[in-house]
Amino acid sequence: MENWLSKRAYLSPDAPAVQYGSQELTFKELQVAVLALAGKLVNVLDGNQRVGLLTRNNLMGYELILALQQLGRQIVLLNSRLADDELAYQISDANLSQVVVDDQLQYQLAVEQLSFTTIKNTQGKTVEPVVEFDNDQVTTIMYTSGTTGKPKGVLQTFGNHFYSAMGSVLNLGLTDQEAWLAVVPIFHISGLSIMMRSLLYGTKVVLVEKFSATDINHLLLDGQATIMSVVPTMLTALQADLSLGQRYPKHFRTFLVGGGPIDRTDLEHAQASGATIVQSYGMTETASQVVALDPKDAVKKIGSVGKPLFPVSLRIKTNDTSVNAVGRVQLKSPTLTAGYLNQTKKYLASFDEGWFDTGDWGYLDSEGYLYIVGREGDMISSGGENVFPDEVEAVYRALPEVDEVVVLGKKNQEWGQVPVAIIRFKAAASLSSEALRAYGRQHLAHYKVPQTFYLDQGTSFPRTASGKLQRYQLAKVLASFDLLP
Amino acid sequence: MENWLSKRAYLSPDAPAVQYGSQELTFKELQVAVLALAGKLVNVLDGNQRVGLLTRNNLMGYELILALQQLGRQIVLLNSRLADDELAYQISDANLSQVVVDDQLQYQLAVEQLSFTTIKNTQGKTVEPVVEFDNDQVTTIMYTSGTTGKPKGVLQTFGNHFYSAMGSVLNLGLTDQEAWLAVVPIFHISGLSIMMRSLLYGTKVVLVEKFSATDINHLLLDGQATIMSVVPTMLTALQADLSLGQRYPKHFRTFLVGGGPIDRTDLEHAQASGATIVQSYGMTETASQVVALDPKDAVKKIGSVGKPLFPVSLRIKTNDTSVNAVGRVQLKSPTLTAGYLNQTKKYLASFDEGWFDTGDWGYLDSEGYLYIVGREGDMISSGGENVFPDEVEAVYRALPEVDEVVVLGKKNQEWGQVPVAIIRFKAAASLSSEALRAYGRQHLAHYKVPQTFYLDQGTSFPRTASGKLQRYQLAKVLASFDLLP
């Protein structure tokens, strides 16, 4: 296929491409800006095919991603929230010699840093952009922040991004007013996929640097966006910020939710505010969503992440043939990563009879809707039985006294592991360990009931950059929590 | 990719799939009906991988196309308007042994005919549909009705249909209310592509057997469709049928026009009736539209067929580097046919440096909009100069007295060929040959002005099944027309 930016600037030069604060660029203007930037980049970049980028969600970072694509470079999108030593690993693994760094950010890195200001102040020259974006060509690399293990450099091809955008459009549709709000990071697949869709669809991206419920609601209520990608905590905060009875305009059509399930209360609040919710499931390895719920089914199928998008096939790997049987979630998809950088064995090992094993556990109901019951590495194996923290947490979260609960496995002489829970109560509320245990026995199999309850005093639980809880990190510091009386 | 019908019936079982008269089927119901039909077909079909089909736009024909796909057969979609000897050629070329024939139609064929009634009355059995629709697999074959030469069997793969649908959705968008009216024949790519889009998009097809301006306007005014594919003559008839000031509902969003340019009067009428017009360009070999005009540009770029769809690349092959230079229209597209049946040499000969030569002549304006100036075989070579009938006809059509005009080449001792015109006047109107010649000299280069004018008395000009004028047929009977005094 032709270079997507060239093609889009040719097809709809005057359509809005990106809005950032008070700035708005059409596709033609964006192309001009991006090519000017590419002309500066060639004067400071060395010959390394791969270039690192550390940026927040701002216009210069946005243009840099596109500019590096125009030069045919592979962009290693580094997570700007990582610590120096985490970055050092990824920089070394990707064999980077240069990293382009947002001036707002400060790092100690062992390689050359090119600041945004340096690049801006460089004399540019005219460059010829690449003619084609080949489907098989790797354009971006992202390290999975992973809930366990060593980060893996996920290779994303133009074909991955193309089919991802096609799968999404066949589920969500496309209007001539489309404007997709991106406050999820552009160094993450959730944000980058919005940028790629914009080129393919010819629609606007409303780029926002920092999540503020008030600011975002202002944009949405003002009709400045039609779709917004969110993680569940964002949705909760947005709903909490709305005044009673305040409704989003009809123009705003969808919250696309990724990174975990939303609960019924948030869903009902969101629907009362006039928004439709598309729950979805995906990962860096699948170039964004591969499974999504039809908004019409949001209430009927609460807890489900939906059905595989049109180009995606899904199976549950289990020997149990009954409906709702839990097994490994496995996929075939043209959006599936071409490999892990330097870890071919690990990549090949993630396939099972040609199916990519997501590492997640789930089941399909009788109508084929997918439910995720546990994430990679979260499963607790207790006396031969499998316990999924998500399930146990959902039961406890239903208690009016409970604000947050995290369930994890603790080593145990007799059972191998046992589930334990860290509970945070709502203000002025409390329950005893005994009461919590009794409640659990009413709703859960015996082996699923946490053996020990710890009291949380307002710790902020460790999460990945994309908002996923890192239970294994919590497990390391479990001893620092007080036992609940 | 998974079998599209299976996937669609799984994704949106309860969404409307097809409406035919008072009948409406959901995707689940359509799948059940199609598999039942497939179960009957296997009991009457022989082992030939290819099956011919002769049908009008009715539900049984619609289901048969899908049923044959479910069985993994290649469907040779024969044009039901062809004469027996034309069909005989295609049946022999495709090496068919059986043709499924609509009971409404009568043919003398040298192969076994399976009537719809025969199939309906056959005892069915349970069949397993094919699991995958492979992108490289040929699923349909259509003979180009061609304006010249021997018909060519165009091989269409699932990949061709998939990319065609993706190119279209990126141009036209997709709403959750979509219903595409198909009165263009389903044995033709214009109609078949509507069926394939329906499976991929999960949207309804409003199938109509016969074009009647009154009936179609009734459907459109009643809000039963959102998009309709038309040829220019349909659009003209629909506008003529509307009462003064009558407007289509907002729900109806687009006429997708193929098969030739529409003139300004029709465009203005259509816009006054609240419809937007998407002029497009495509052919059997490209699995439907590959170039389309943005509705926003309809007036500004009248006469243009637009810009190549996102997955399509286009060039004008000419040595003249100036803007508006006329040359051969050449394409690269993932929708391009995999080949001509039994005519590999002819297929390979249609490529020029890797570009598919459409046989059409055209130019790009300074903003990259494509204008078609002449169709394959139409060009008149007169004394070393090229004359395109379309251009000359457009000039004469602008005269208020002229109802229709056809320009073609006539053999000439001195110039090789000269342009001549057949003119049909509006009721009670007339002009002399001399007046017409004088008018032409004001607007056209000398060599483009028709040397002789013939008077048409209401002949219906020979057209292909898709409405393209067959000038070479007219040239054969030119002597039967009277000279215009």
Side-chain angles (χ1 to χ4, degrees):
Chain A
M1 236 176 282
E2 280 177 54
N3 178 326
W4 297 353
L5 179 63
S6 311
K7 180 80 179 192
R8 179 48 62 194
Y10 159 56
L11 285 180
S12 39
D14 303 323
V18 59
Q19 171 188 326
Y20 178 68
S22 59
Q23 292 171 273
E24 183 173 289
L25 300 181
T26 64
F27 281 103
K28 187 69 213 171
E29 290 164 347
L30 179 63
Q31 185 193 33
V32 168
V34 164
L35 291 180
L37 206 51
K40 292 169 186 282
L41 278 168
V42 289
N43 282 335
V44 290
L45 290 181
D46 60 25
N48 195 334
Q49 158 75 354
R50 273 186 217 127
V51 181
L53 178 65
L54 275 161
T55 186
R56 303 179 68 174
N57 275 19
N58 53 45
L59 193 54
M60 177 86 176
Y62 195 99
E63 291 175 357
L64 277 164
I65 292 173
L66 298 178
L68 289 164
Q69 274 188 339
Q70 292 300 300
L71 296 172
R73 303 281 182 136
Q74 284 178 357
I75 311 147
V76 181
L77 290 151
L78 299 163
N79 185 333
S80 63
R81 296 165 189 164
L82 295 183
D84 288 346
D85 57 345
E86 292 172 301
L87 289 173
Y89 172 79
Q90 298 180 12
I91 287 167
S92 157
D93 187 58
N95 201 21
L96 295 180
S97 47
Q98 293 178 307
V99 179
V100 178
V101 183
D102 195 331
D103 295 60
Q104 295 179 62
L105 304 168
Q106 296 292 330
Y107 303 95
Q108 297 292 332
L109 305 176
V111 289
E112 186 188 356
Q113 297 191 36
L114 296 167
S115 76
F116 283 12
T117 304
T118 305
I119 294 166
K120 265 187 210 151
N121 293 340
T122 299
Q123 184 70 31
K125 63 176 179 188
T126 306
V127 285
E128 279 300 314
V130 295
V131 175
E132 292 201 350
F133 278 17
D134 188 80
N135 265 359
D136 295 330
Q137 190 189 327
V138 172
T139 176
T140 47
I141 299 174
M142 286 178 189
Y143 281 83
T144 45
S145 43
T147 46
T148 55
K150 207 166 67 166
K152 290 165 286 192
V154 176
L155 308 177
Q156 296 161 340
T157 62
F158 283 113
N160 292 154
H161 292 305
F162 175 79
Y163 278 99
S164 173
M166 295 306 105
S168 183
V169 79
L170 293 180
N171 185 47
L172 294 177
L174 178 63
T175 76
D176 57 1
Q177 304 279 303
E178 221 72 278
W180 203 307
L181 198 150
V183 67
V184 289
I186 55 176
F187 58 73
H188 186 273
I189 188 59
S190 56
L192 181 70
S193 63
I194 299 173
M195 294 179 61
M196 297 298 101
R197 283 182 213 118
S198 164
L199 296 182
L200 291 162
Y201 299 171
T203 53
K204 183 162 90 166
V205 174
V206 179
L207 183 68
V208 178
E209 176 150 359
K210 219 180 140 188
F211 181 79
S212 143
T214 311
D215 294 350
I216 301 281
N217 269 336
H218 178 76
L219 286 170
L220 299 184
L221 291 164
D222 195 36
Q224 293 192 44
T226 59
I227 303 184
M228 177 183 177
S229 296
V230 292
V231 291
T233 52
M234 287 182 187
L235 194 61
T236 309
L238 288 171
Q239 299 311 311
D241 175 72
L242 285 182
S243 311
L244 193 70
Q246 207 165 15
R247 289 175 65 85
Y248 294 115
K250 216 182 157 188
H251 182 71
F252 178 71
R253 55 192 198 93
T254 307
F255 282 115
L256 180 67
V257 187
I262 47 169
D263 67 23
R264 185 178 287 271
T265 314
D266 283 336
L267 181 67
E268 283 167 357
H269 279 171
Q271 285 177 328
S273 69
T276 56
I277 307 288
V278 174
Q279 183 81 250
S280 73
Y281 169 78
M283 59 208 79
T284 309
E285 283 91 335
T286 61
S288 179
Q289 33 154 358
V290 274
V291 177
L293 191 60
D294 187 314
K296 292 196 257 326
D297 299 325
V299 176
K300 192 179 78 175
K301 294 290 178 182
I302 191 165
S304 169
V305 289
K307 294 176 178 174
L309 298 183
F310 205 96
V312 179
S313 299
L314 184 148
R315 74 171 188 182
I316 300 295
K317 178 66 181 294
T318 167
N319 293 324
D320 183 348
T321 56
S322 58
V323 165
N324 289 11
V326 171
R328 301 283 276 195
V329 177
Q330 302 186 333
L331 299 167
K332 284 183 184 174
S333 174
T335 67
L336 192 68
T337 176
Y340 295 128
L341 190 62
N342 308 326
Q343 299 194 55
T344 307
K345 270 189 194 161
K346 198 162 202 169
Y347 178 68
L348 293 176
S350 39
F351 287 87
D352 176 11
E353 301 166 322
W355 293 77
F356 179 76
D357 190 302
T358 62
D360 291 333
W361 297 80
Y363 66 90
L364 294 172
D365 72 9
S366 61
E367 296 177 287
Y369 288 82
L370 177 67
Y371 292 76
I372 299 294
V373 297
R375 297 266 166 185
E376 181 174 20
D378 288 345
M379 200 184 69
I380 301 160
S381 183
S382 188
E385 296 282 4
N386 294 336
V387 181
F388 294 101
D390 284 350
E391 181 192 2
V392 182
E393 288 166 3
V395 165
Y396 281 96
R397 215 174 276 127
L399 282 169
E401 293 86 355
V402 172
D403 185 32
E404 189 50 280
V405 53
V406 176
V407 170
L408 30 100
K410 193 186 169 189
K411 271 198 183 163
N412 180 281
Q413 202 77 22
E414 191 176 358
W415 306 107
Q417 278 187 304
V418 288
V420 300
I422 306 170
I423 302 259
R424 182 196 300 156
F425 292 109
K426 285 185 182 149
S430 185
L431 288 170
S432 69
S433 279
E434 196 40 53
L436 288 166
R437 200 167 296 116
Y439 168 78
R441 286 188 180 148
Q442 283 173 5
H443 295 91
L444 293 164
H446 186 268
Y447 64 89
K448 295 181 182 172
V449 179
Q451 205 201 46
T452 313
F453 291 88
Y454 296 88
L455 183 65
D456 175 62
Q457 311 268 17
T459 321
S460 77
F461 295 130
R463 290 182 184 276
T464 67
S466 58
K468 282 187 207 164
L469 186 70
Q470 291 178 299
R471 289 192 181 81
Y472 76 104
Q473 295 281 19
L474 261 185
K476 289 185 204 161
V477 295
L478 194 57
S480 68
F481 288 89
D482 293 332
L483 283 175
L484 181 70
Chain B
M1 238 177 280
E2 281 176 54
N3 178 323
W4 297 353
L5 180 63
S6 311
K7 180 79 179 195
R8 179 48 63 195
Y10 159 58
L11 285 180
S12 40
D14 303 324
V18 59
Q19 171 187 325
Y20 178 68
S22 58
Q23 292 172 273
E24 183 174 288
L25 300 181
T26 64
F27 281 103
K28 186 70 213 170
E29 290 164 348
L30 180 62
Q31 185 193 33
V32 168
V34 164
L35 291 180
L37 206 50
K40 292 170 187 281
L41 278 169
V42 289
N43 282 336
V44 290
L45 290 181
D46 59 26
N48 194 335
Q49 159 74 355
R50 272 186 218 127
V51 181
L53 178 65
L54 274 162
T55 186
R56 303 180 68 172
N57 275 18
N58 54 44
L59 192 55
M60 178 88 177
Y62 196 98
E63 291 175 356
L64 277 164
I65 292 173
L66 298 177
L68 289 164
Q69 274 189 338
Q70 291 300 300
L71 297 172
R73 304 281 182 136
Q74 284 178 358
I75 312 146
V76 180
L77 291 152
L78 298 164
N79 185 333
S80 63
R81 296 166 190 164
L82 295 184
D84 289 346
D85 57 344
E86 291 172 302
L87 289 172
Y89 171 79
Q90 298 181 11
I91 287 167
S92 157
D93 186 59
N95 200 21
L96 296 180
S97 47
Q98 292 178 308
V99 178
V100 178
V101 182
D102 195 331
D103 294 59
Q104 295 179 63
L105 305 168
Q106 298 291 331
Y107 303 95
Q108 297 292 331
L109 306 176
V111 289
E112 186 188 355
Q113 296 192 36
L114 297 166
S115 76
F116 284 13
T117 304
T118 305
I119 294 166
K120 266 186 208 149
N121 293 339
T122 299
Q123 183 71 31
K125 63 176 179 187
T126 307
V127 285
E128 281 300 313
V130 295
V131 175
E132 292 199 351
F133 278 17
D134 189 80
N135 265 0
D136 295 330
Q137 192 188 325
V138 173
T139 177
T140 46
I141 299 174
M142 286 176 189
Y143 281 82
T144 46
S145 42
T147 45
T148 55
K150 206 165 67 166
K152 289 165 286 191
V154 176
L155 307 177
Q156 296 162 340
T157 64
F158 284 112
N160 292 154
H161 293 305
F162 175 79
Y163 278 98
S164 173
M166 296 305 105
S168 183
V169 78
L170 293 180
N171 184 47
L172 294 177
L174 178 64
T175 77
D176 57 2
Q177 305 279 304
E178 221 72 279
W180 203 307
L181 198 151
V183 69
V184 289
I186 56 177
F187 59 73
H188 187 273
I189 189 60
S190 56
L192 181 71
S193 63
I194 299 173
M195 294 179 60
M196 296 298 100
R197 284 181 212 119
S198 164
L199 296 181
L200 292 162
Y201 300 171
T203 53
K204 184 162 90 166
V205 174
V206 179
L207 183 69
V208 177
E209 177 151 356
K210 219 180 140 187
F211 181 80
S212 142
T214 311
D215 294 350
I216 301 281
N217 269 336
H218 178 78
L219 287 169
L220 300 184
L221 292 164
D222 195 37
Q224 293 191 44
T226 60
I227 303 185
M228 177 182 177
S229 297
V230 291
V231 290
T233 52
M234 288 182 186
L235 194 61
T236 309
L238 287 171
Q239 299 311 311
D241 175 73
L242 286 182
S243 311
L244 193 70
Q246 208 166 15
R247 288 175 66 85
Y248 294 116
K250 215 182 159 190
H251 182 71
F252 177 71
R253 55 194 197 91
T254 307
F255 282 114
L256 181 67
V257 187
I262 46 170
D263 67 22
R264 185 180 288 272
T265 314
D266 283 335
L267 182 67
E268 283 167 357
H269 280 171
Q271 285 176 327
S273 69
T276 57
I277 308 287
V278 174
Q279 182 81 249
S280 73
Y281 169 77
M283 58 210 78
T284 309
E285 283 91 335
T286 60
S288 179
Q289 32 153 357
V290 275
V291 177
L293 192 61
D294 187 314
K296 292 197 257 326
D297 299 325
V299 175
K300 192 178 77 172
K301 294 291 178 181
I302 191 164
S304 169
V305 290
K307 294 176 179 174
L309 298 182
F310 204 97
V312 179
S313 299
L314 185 147
R315 74 171 188 182
I316 299 295
K317 178 68 182 294
T318 167
N319 293 325
D320 183 349
T321 56
S322 59
V323 165
N324 290 10
V326 171
R328 300 284 276 194
V329 177
Q330 301 185 333
L331 298 167
K332 284 184 184 175
S333 173
T335 67
L336 192 68
T337 177
Y340 295 128
L341 190 62
N342 308 325
Q343 299 193 57
T344 307
K345 271 189 195 161
K346 197 161 203 170
Y347 179 67
L348 294 175
S350 35
F351 288 88
D352 176 10
E353 301 166 320
W355 294 78
F356 178 76
D357 190 301
T358 62
D360 291 334
W361 297 81
Y363 66 91
L364 294 172
D365 71 10
S366 61
E367 296 177 286
Y369 288 81
L370 177 67
Y371 293 75
I372 300 293
V373 296
R375 298 267 164 183
E376 180 174 20
D378 288 346
M379 200 183 69
I380 301 161
S381 184
S382 189
E385 297 283 2
N386 294 337
V387 180
F388 294 101
D390 285 351
E391 183 192 0
V392 181
E393 288 166 3
V395 165
Y396 281 96
R397 216 174 276 127
L399 281 170
E401 292 86 356
V402 171
D403 185 32
E404 189 50 280
V405 53
V406 176
V407 170
L408 30 99
K410 192 185 170 188
K411 273 197 183 166
N412 180 282
Q413 201 79 19
E414 189 174 1
W415 307 106
Q417 277 187 303
V418 289
V420 300
I422 305 171
I423 302 259
R424 182 197 301 156
F425 292 108
K426 286 185 183 148
S430 184
L431 288 170
S432 69
S433 280
E434 196 40 52
L436 288 167
R437 201 167 294 115
Y439 168 79
R441 286 187 179 149
Q442 282 173 6
H443 296 90
L444 292 164
H446 186 268
Y447 64 89
K448 295 181 184 172
V449 178
Q451 206 202 46
T452 313
F453 291 88
Y454 296 87
L455 182 65
D456 177 62
Q457 312 267 18
T459 321
S460 76
F461 294 131
R463 292 182 182 275
T464 68
S466 59
K468 283 186 208 165
L469 186 69
Q470 292 178 296
R471 288 191 181 81
Y472 76 104
Q473 294 282 19
L474 261 186
K476 290 186 207 162
V477 294
L478 194 57
S480 68
F481 289 90
D482 293 332
L483 283 176
L484 182 70

